[in-house]
């Protein structure tokens, strides 16, 4: 009898940008850059550290080049 082996598990993590001035103002977003709030910058930096140090999140990372995605 042939033995079954499980396929490797794939984890997909989706992340939105950090909190912006336009979030705070309740404005429509997605078509232009909006400045990150201090809270949004902190969150983005913490997430960046987590992505760099968590081995389960390092196979592929895709980002965008907007103000909401610092460094």
């Amino acid at each position: 009898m042939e033995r079954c082996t499980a396929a490797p598990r794939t984890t997909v993590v989706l992340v939105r940008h950090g909190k912006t001035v336009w979030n705070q103002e309740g404005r429509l977003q997605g078509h232009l850059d909006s400045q990150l709030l201090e809270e949004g910058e902190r969150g983005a930096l913490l997430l960046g550290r987590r992505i760099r140090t968590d081995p389960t999140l390092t196979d592929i990372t895709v980002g965008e080049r907007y103000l909401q995605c610092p460094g």
Side-chain angles (χ1 to χ4, degrees), residues 44-58 61 70-71:
L45 292 171
L46 288 170
L47 176 64
R49 283 190 205 122
R50 169 103 189 261
I51 289 171
R52 284 191 299 276
T53 59
D54 186 333
T56 66
L57 300 177
T58 57
T61 302

Side-chain angles (χ1 to χ4, degrees), residues 16-23 25 27-36 64-69:
R16 291 192 62 218
H17 58 76
K19 192 168 185 179
T20 68
V21 172
W22 286 7
N23 287 131
E25 295 173 357
R27 291 177 61 180
L28 180 65
Q29 300 181 72
H31 58 291
L32 296 171
D33 267 341
S34 174
Q35 189 67 36
L36 285 173
E64 57 183 343
R65 298 179 72 67
Y66 289 107
L67 292 173
Q68 295 96 337
C69 300

Side-chain angles (χ1 to χ4, degrees), residues 3 12-13 24 27 36 43 69:
R3 185 176 181 168
V12 176
V13 179
Q24 194 172 37
R27 291 177 61 180
L36 285 173
C69 300

